[in-house]
Amino acid sequence: MSTENLEQAIALTKKFTSKPSNENLLKLYGLYKQATIGDNEEERPGGFDFKAAAKYNSWLSFKGKSKEEAKQEYIELVELLSKSHL
């Protein structure tokens, strides 16, 4: 897989035959958002929306990481996960 090709990595996740752990899913989400949008500047979700809060915090944890670094880490994580989820 080309290190520049985020789309290929995203497509590969759709072929997983088993679901990665919630921890890995959140990491994928955070890296994807950082790679495609950059730093999280959105408002923190309120109330009892724990799923949205977890996603928000995951993305926030990559603050300051360049889009290129986040893209590379996303691709590497997908390649690692594909060994046990394809």
Side-chain angles (χ1 to χ4, degrees):
M1 181 179 320
S2 163
T3 56
E4 290 84 30
N5 205 333
L6 185 62
E7 288 75 28
Q8 277 187 325
I10 294 166
L12 187 58
T13 65
K14 293 175 176 26
K15 295 179 183 175
F16 285 0
T17 56
S18 60
K19 185 177 175 183
S21 69
N22 284 340
E23 180 183 334
N24 281 324
L25 288 172
L26 284 170
K27 190 171 181 181
L28 283 170
Y29 175 83
L31 285 168
Y32 172 80
K33 295 294 265 186
Q34 190 69 23
T36 57
I37 296 172
D39 288 346
N40 184 350
E41 303 293 338
E42 295 184 2
E43 284 197 30
R44 181 177 296 279
F48 293 97
D49 192 346
F50 299 115
K51 184 176 180 180
K55 290 168 88 173
Y56 175 91
N57 290 334
S58 176
W59 182 10
L60 192 63
S61 73
F62 297 106
K63 187 171 186 160
K65 187 176 293 289
S66 76
K67 287 183 176 184
E68 280 305 310
E69 286 177 304
K71 184 189 300 185
Q72 183 61 37
E73 283 187 39
Y74 180 92
I75 291 168
E76 289 171 3
L77 180 57
V78 168
E79 288 175 346
L80 178 69
L81 291 173
S82 71
K83 293 176 181 167
S84 56
H85 295 285
L86 276 179

